Amino acid sequence: MAEEDDTRIRILQSLRGKICEAKNLGPGSGPTRLRDVSTFCTISLDQEEVFRTKVFEKTLRMSSPFYGEDFYFEIPRPFQCLSFYVYFKSVFQRDLPVGKVSIRKEDLSKISGKENWFTLQPVDPNSQVQGKVHLEMKLNELITENGSLAQQLSVRIACQGLPLISGQNCDPYATVTLVGPARSDQKKTKVKKKTSDPQFEETFYFEVTRSSNYKKSQFQVEEEDIEKLAIKVDLWNNGNLAQDVFLGETRVSLKILKNDHIHRAWYLLLPKGNGNKTKVDDLGSLRLNVTYTEDTVLPSACYAQMRALLLKSPETKPISASSAHILGDVCRDQNEAMLPVVRLLLHHNRLLPFVSAIAELELEHTQEANTIFRGNTLATRCIDDMMKIVGRSYLMVTLKQVLDEICDSNKSCEIDPIKLKEGDNVEANKENLQGYVQKVFSSITQSSASCPPLMCDVFRSLRQMASKRFPADPHVQYSAVSSFVFLRFFAVAVLTPHTFQLRPHHPDPEISRTLTLISKTIQTLGSWGSLSKNKLSSFKETYMYDFFKSFQEDKCIEKVKKFLDDISSNVSKESSGLADSLVLKEGEVHKRAQGRKRLGKKNFKKRWLRVTNRELSYHKHRGKDALFVIPVKSILGVEKLDESAFNRKNMFQVIHVEKPLYVQAGNCVEASEWIEVLSQVSRCNPGRLGTYHPSAYLMGAWLCCHNSFETQPGCKPCTMSMPVNIQLDIDCDRETERIFSMFSSNLTKLQKMEDACASLSVYLGQQKEQEEYSLFTIQDPRETFGTIQHVRAVLEELQAHHDTHGALADEPGSMENPIVGKTS
């Protein structure tokens, strides 16, 4: 996302990780334990489900299922708690929760990036809370009828972010209680209908201290200390004929109050805190790997110096003295350290010269042609990251259709005699596998016209440099390219299609085995070592050796050679990666019916929404013909819709030449992703609107501005209106902030590198004798030293900006930083 607002501070949150496996699932034991059940997991932000694994069918080891599900999503709203639920799914019963793992937001940093086993806890309705409550309290002195003084407490409340009940906004009410050692005075608000952000416009008054003429019988004690009193707020959903549902509570001591002082603050709603933990049966445990990232992104001007220093990297001589290369050196052990650098240089069209320079440096230290680009180096990591970013649509066009066929048909392809199941026919399996390999191989070798131009430019540069480095080897020009496009791109995508969004979930074990065999064969068919060596020698397994002999290797070599020539030639070509219809996102939503006048639940219908690079369409069910199609070029804007329009959360609108299309997504993450992808694909449309209506046109008027003309221009500026390429949608400020964070967390290594530059042994060319300095690439100590000094100065300046803005950060009790109160 381009920088849209140069003044605001943004808190951007993301979550990635893996639900690995469970063990010993299920309470108690007995004949009904794990009988006729399957299992699945979900992820919830507070009470809102945002991710669900596929259902794992019952097996002999169902008490310890392996999920292997990777997840990643941006978190579009504040949250208190991240929870993982394990469910049993039975044929004849509703889904039964086995247990959960709940991690409070402030504790995520303690486990971030680490794999841990977590004990499952019981799912208690009274612990399932979310939202916050605003309290306004004041102590007033009153003069009674007889002229004496008494203290009275006034309380007003409002709430925000209450959970959905059965997918709909709740009907909340609150009880407000003044509690003390010997009293409990409770009052109740009116019920607010269909809202998650109720404003209880009521003021409650409580007598705090007695007047001089009160009767003893009013209280059980003679006098009460005001510091022992507290206000307790409980939120409930009105169940009408059903039981009311607890939504959360908080408790605030009156000792924070002073005379003539109004206390106003937001408090998090908490679960019921009786503090008593009952002993429960062992529910099992869940192995998770969770990485939570929170980026505090400052105004764009704060990053000007850091950004300018990084963008100078491609021209820095030698390249090892550049700030980007120095970051790679000090963060060598962090796999994704270079990703923000790659994205930043990519956005500013500076990636090609940088990648070429670091690849040339690596080639200088490569002694044998058959080991070219085989290690996990700075150059290979950057090129890997580049291919994942710009090659996503290329993979979709090339592999998705054939991978869908492989995964959905589920033919047996096992050719290892040891792993064959009873009744399997190895010759039939070999024929199935050969057919799949041929389809994948053909899809790849016929896809050169779809290869993104930047990938072609990088491959052409690698080919030329490799030929120059090893002029006596005629094959090295091909191996330099094949080591990336086959071994690190296509083979990896075939092996793990879910990580490239080619499949929605991790494949089951049998499909995963098939993909492994296909990937191994594709790697060998596409590899281009010395052709004087027989490729069959690369297989350790006899069964793979025999299987590979079934391919006509000479014909495959010619196809690979032509493909590599096409994607690395000097001929400039236009990418056709987006010429074919490319599915960008699809899923189930609720859509408001078009053209109806009646309001209510019947106006919303479940539909399958699908967006490609060409059109947005909705269907009655997945795979059915489209009921309505909106060409992408006709989209004029994509914006959130106010919850108040239809009393529904997670709604957005697609504004086009006809009436707006109103859509409700399944959760906040889904809504954010729909808005993002639709905004990206339509950003270059020349007719995009500058303003929009944040609410709906109902009953003859816009609910937002109350204008009666349906064609009236919008009353609020549109967001995300800057045109950018759909494939290069990059938030440069966020990437620069991440680079700052990585430099800041590796200051010790940066200092060691600076010491290495200053060391006499480095100047004398004896760097290898200093073991602690051998991890750094220092070609020119003086130039490198100067860059490190510049990096340090920029880091100090940017840290000062953080300190300044941190001092202006939200005070405890603000809406963005609510107080964690107490429970009863």
Side-chain angles (χ1 to χ4, degrees):
M1 185 174 68
E3 299 89 339
E4 297 168 15
D5 190 329
D6 290 335
T7 60
R8 64 192 177 106
I9 299 175
R10 296 176 291 149
I11 307 296
L12 304 178
Q13 309 168 100
S14 62
L15 192 74
R16 75 166 62 245
K18 175 179 281 191
I19 303 175
C20 304
E21 62 178 318
K23 64 181 180 182
N24 303 325
L25 290 184
S29 59
T32 59
R33 179 182 172 94
L34 298 178
R35 176 183 295 176
D36 297 327
V37 295
S38 304
T39 178
F40 64 94
C41 293
T42 65
I43 302 177
S44 292
L45 294 173
D46 299 320
Q47 288 303 98
E48 183 177 17
E49 182 184 314
V50 295
F51 179 85
R52 177 178 289 222
T53 70
K54 68 178 181 179
V55 176
F56 290 79
E57 301 301 331
K58 51 184 179 291
T59 67
L60 293 176
R61 60 184 302 273
M62 185 49 63
S63 64
S64 299
F66 180 81
Y67 299 108
E69 287 271 18
D70 297 286
F71 59 86
Y72 173 81
F73 49 85
E74 297 288 324
I75 301 175
R77 62 167 177 82
F79 72 101
Q80 303 173 35
C81 190
L82 174 71
S83 298
F84 298 82
Y85 293 82
V86 179
Y87 287 89
F88 285 155
K89 188 176 186 67
S90 176
V91 176
F92 303 108
Q93 295 178 322
R94 63 183 179 85
D95 299 341
L96 301 173
V98 180
K100 68 174 182 176
V101 174
S102 291
I103 309 165
R104 294 200 67 81
K105 179 181 176 181
E106 57 267 25
D107 295 328
L108 284 171
S109 60
K110 301 174 185 176
I111 63 164
S112 190
K114 303 172 186 176
E115 201 168 274
N116 295 283
W117 281 99
F118 296 88
T119 301
L120 290 174
Q121 301 297 322
V123 178
D124 175 13
N126 287 334
S127 68
Q128 312 287 94
V129 303
Q130 74 176 58
K132 49 197 169 187
V133 59
H134 184 266
L135 279 178
E136 179 181 309
M137 301 189 297
K138 183 181 180 182
L139 278 175
N140 304 298
E141 285 192 346
L142 299 178
I143 301 177
T144 62
E145 294 179 357
N146 63 1
S148 60
L149 292 178
Q151 284 191 312
Q152 186 184 62
L153 174 68
S154 62
V155 181
R156 288 178 66 89
I157 66 169
C159 294
Q160 189 178 70
L162 298 181
L164 299 178
I165 303 295
S166 301
Q168 301 295 322
N169 284 329
C170 54
D171 295 334
Y173 69 89
T175 60
V176 183
T177 310
L178 180 65
V179 294
R183 65 186 294 186
S184 179
D185 187 3
Q186 184 180 95
K187 301 179 187 291
K188 178 181 173 182
T189 69
K190 296 177 181 177
V191 175
K192 293 291 184 178
K193 293 290 186 179
K194 302 300 178 187
T195 176
S196 294
D197 304 320
Q199 304 295 312
F200 299 107
E201 298 174 350
E202 301 176 60
T203 303
F204 298 115
Y205 297 97
F206 299 91
E207 186 179 348
V208 176
T209 59
R210 61 186 180 180
S211 61
S212 56
N213 65 343
Y214 89 107
K215 296 180 180 179
K216 259 189 180 182
S217 60
Q218 287 181 264
F219 299 120
Q220 296 178 4
V221 293
E222 288 287 330
E223 191 71 62
E224 280 191 306
D225 185 349
I226 192 172
E227 293 194 355
K228 293 181 181 179
L229 299 177
I231 281 291
K232 179 172 172 285
V233 179
D234 294 85
L235 269 296
W236 299 85
N237 177 63
N238 181 39
N240 292 322
L241 300 177
Q243 185 176 359
D244 291 356
V245 177
F246 175 74
L247 301 179
E249 70 174 23
T250 192
R251 183 185 178 110
V252 181
S253 172
L254 294 195
K255 63 184 177 182
I256 63 171
L257 298 179
K258 299 177 181 177
N259 288 336
D260 300 324
H261 171 71
I262 300 177
H263 174 76
R264 296 187 181 96
W266 285 93
Y267 290 84
L268 286 178
L269 288 172
L270 302 173
K272 284 191 175 179
N274 55 23
N276 298 322
K277 292 187 178 180
T278 58
K279 185 177 179 180
V280 296
D281 291 327
D282 182 13
L283 302 175
S285 54
L286 188 64
R287 183 161 62 92
L288 302 170
N289 190 327
V290 180
T291 299
Y292 169 72
T293 304
E294 182 175 293
D295 299 314
T296 303
V297 183
L298 302 176
S300 186
C302 298
Y303 297 106
Q305 294 296 320
M306 174 67 80
R307 191 163 46 240
L309 179 60
L310 290 161
L311 293 178
K312 282 173 53 180
S313 294
E315 287 80 35
T316 303
K317 304 293 183 183
I319 192 64
S320 61
S322 67
S323 58
H325 196 287
I326 289 171
L327 178 67
D329 264 356
V330 299
C331 300
R332 190 184 298 266
D333 56 345
Q334 296 172 245
N335 288 333
E336 295 189 351
M338 292 306 294
L339 182 59
V341 174
V342 169
R343 293 175 67 86
L344 182 69
L345 295 176
L346 189 59
H347 182 84
H348 291 278
N349 200 27
R350 308 294 300 132
L351 183 62
L352 178 61
F354 177 72
V355 165
S356 299
I358 59 177
E360 187 174 27
L361 176 60
E362 180 175 331
L363 284 171
E364 291 175 8
H365 296 89
T366 303
Q367 302 303 317
E368 297 182 12
N370 61 358
T371 62
I372 190 169
F373 299 126
R374 289 301 178 94
N376 184 25
T377 64
L378 183 64
T380 58
R381 286 156 59 194
C382 287
I383 297 173
D384 282 353
D385 289 338
M386 178 275 296
M387 292 191 299
K388 290 176 183 176
I389 296 170
V390 305
R392 180 185 172 191
S393 63
Y394 182 29
L395 287 175
M396 286 279 186
V397 169
T398 307
L399 291 180
K400 181 163 176 52
Q401 184 175 355
V402 64
L403 288 177
D404 284 344
E405 179 187 344
I406 293 168
C407 295
D408 294 339
S409 62
N410 197 17
K411 293 180 181 178
S412 179
C413 295
E414 184 56 71
I415 58 174
D416 183 354
I418 299 176
K419 296 182 178 181
L420 286 175
K421 295 180 179 179
E422 186 177 351
D424 273 358
N425 184 322
V426 69
E427 292 303 320
N429 290 359
K430 189 180 293 186
E431 186 177 335
N432 292 336
L433 182 60
Q434 187 173 9
Y436 285 153
V437 170
Q438 289 286 10
K439 287 184 178 182
V440 173
F441 182 73
S442 297
S443 295
I444 293 172
T445 54
Q446 295 172 12
S447 69
S448 59
S450 299
C451 187
L454 179 60
M455 287 176 63
C456 293
D457 292 341
V458 170
F459 294 152
R460 180 166 61 251
S461 178
L462 295 177
R463 179 176 179 168
Q464 293 170 350
M465 290 186 294
S467 297
K468 183 179 178 182
R469 176 69 178 86
F470 299 102
D473 190 331
H475 308 302
V476 72
Q477 58 176 320
Y478 295 110
S479 61
V481 179
S482 67
S483 62
F484 284 104
V485 74
F486 276 100
L487 271 65
R488 296 172 176 271
F489 187 59
F490 284 122
V492 178
V494 169
L495 185 63
T496 55
H498 58 291
T499 62
F500 293 86
Q501 291 79 51
L502 296 173
R503 294 290 295 174
H505 296 289
H506 186 282
D508 63 40
E510 288 189 12
I511 296 296
S512 184
R513 173 63 178 164
T514 298
L515 295 177
T516 299
L517 295 172
I518 296 172
S519 180
K520 290 176 71 172
T521 311
I522 291 298
Q523 284 185 51
T524 307
L525 287 171
S527 67
W528 203 284
S530 176
L531 292 182
S532 61
K533 296 182 179 180
N534 192 329
K535 289 186 178 184
L536 292 170
S537 63
S538 65
F539 291 115
K540 298 178 182 178
E541 308 95 339
T542 304
Y543 63 86
M544 287 300 297
Y545 180 95
D546 294 336
F547 174 69
F548 193 80
K549 286 195 298 185
S550 63
F551 291 91
Q552 296 179 334
E553 190 172 355
D554 290 342
K555 288 187 177 181
C556 291
I557 289 173
E558 288 304 311
K559 290 180 180 180
V560 171
K561 182 176 181 295
K562 183 180 184 306
F563 171 67
L564 296 176
D565 281 334
D566 289 344
I567 63 173
S568 61
S569 67
N570 289 317
V571 179
S572 177
K573 66 170 75 71
E574 290 295 325
S575 169
S576 62
L578 290 179
D580 297 325
S581 182
L582 173 64
V583 178
L584 302 176
K585 185 173 175 63
E586 57 182 338
E588 195 172 75
V589 299
H590 283 84
K591 179 200 70 69
R592 183 172 184 263
Q594 299 294 291
R596 295 191 179 183
K597 296 182 179 180
R598 296 196 310 272
L599 296 179
K601 191 174 182 180
K602 291 183 179 179
N603 274 349
F604 282 86
K605 291 188 176 181
K606 193 178 290 185
R607 291 290 181 255
W608 187 263
L609 194 64
R610 187 171 186 262
V611 59
T612 72
N613 54 299
R614 292 177 173 178
E615 62 188 28
L616 171 67
S617 58
Y618 60 80
H619 314 246
K620 191 168 185 177
H621 300 291
R622 183 177 187 176
K624 297 294 184 180
D625 292 339
L627 299 175
F628 190 71
V629 175
I630 302 173
V632 161
K633 61 184 180 182
S634 300
I635 296 177
L636 306 179
V638 185
E639 300 290 343
K640 290 182 180 179
L641 190 72
D642 282 354
E643 176 186 326
S644 59
F646 300 104
N647 284 323
R648 289 172 177 252
K649 277 183 170 293
N650 305 319
M651 288 206 64
F652 63 93
Q653 55 180 314
V654 181
I655 308 165
H656 58 113
V657 292
E658 298 182 28
K659 292 184 177 181
L661 178 67
Y662 297 129
V663 180
Q664 182 185 27
N667 56 62
C668 63
V669 171
E670 281 288 311
S672 179
E673 290 176 352
W674 277 115
I675 293 171
E676 182 72 13
V677 72
L678 285 166
S679 297
Q680 289 176 22
V681 78
S682 63
R683 278 181 173 176
C684 296
N685 290 352
R688 281 184 65 93
L689 298 177
T691 59
Y692 77 104
H693 290 285
S695 196
Y697 185 84
L698 297 173
M699 302 299 184
W702 290 101
L703 300 181
C704 43
C705 58
H706 307 295
N707 196 292
S708 59
F709 294 99
E710 191 171 2
T711 57
Q712 178 72 18
C715 56
K716 186 176 180 180
C718 286
T719 56
M720 309 177 78
S721 58
M722 185 175 293
V724 289
N725 188 301
I726 179 175
Q727 298 181 71
L728 304 181
D729 184 44
I730 293 169
D731 187 335
C732 291
D733 292 341
R734 187 180 193 180
E735 304 304 335
T736 312
E737 171 61 30
R738 288 179 170 175
I739 294 169
F740 163 73
S741 297
M742 283 187 292
F743 266 130
S744 299
S745 60
N746 287 276
L747 287 176
T748 302
K749 292 181 181 178
L750 191 64
Q751 181 62 56
K752 281 187 178 181
M753 193 171 186
E754 187 176 340
D755 295 341
C757 293
S759 170
L760 180 61
S761 64
V762 173
Y763 283 100
L764 294 178
Q766 301 169 358
Q767 181 181 353
K768 291 184 179 179
E769 296 179 7
Q770 298 279 348
E771 186 174 347
E772 63 176 324
Y773 299 153
S774 63
L775 296 176
F776 305 126
T777 305
I778 303 175
Q779 295 173 283
D780 187 331
R782 189 181 298 277
E783 188 71 24
T784 306
F785 185 87
T787 304
I788 293 175
Q789 290 289 302
H790 195 174
V791 169
R792 282 187 172 279
V794 170
L795 291 177
E796 290 176 4
E797 179 188 16
L798 195 45
Q799 184 60 54
H801 284 303
H802 270 283
D803 294 341
T804 300
H805 289 286
L808 301 174
D810 302 304
E811 293 291 329
S814 64
M815 182 180 292
E816 293 75 17
N817 187 20
I819 299 169
V820 180
K822 296 182 179 180
T823 57
S824 55

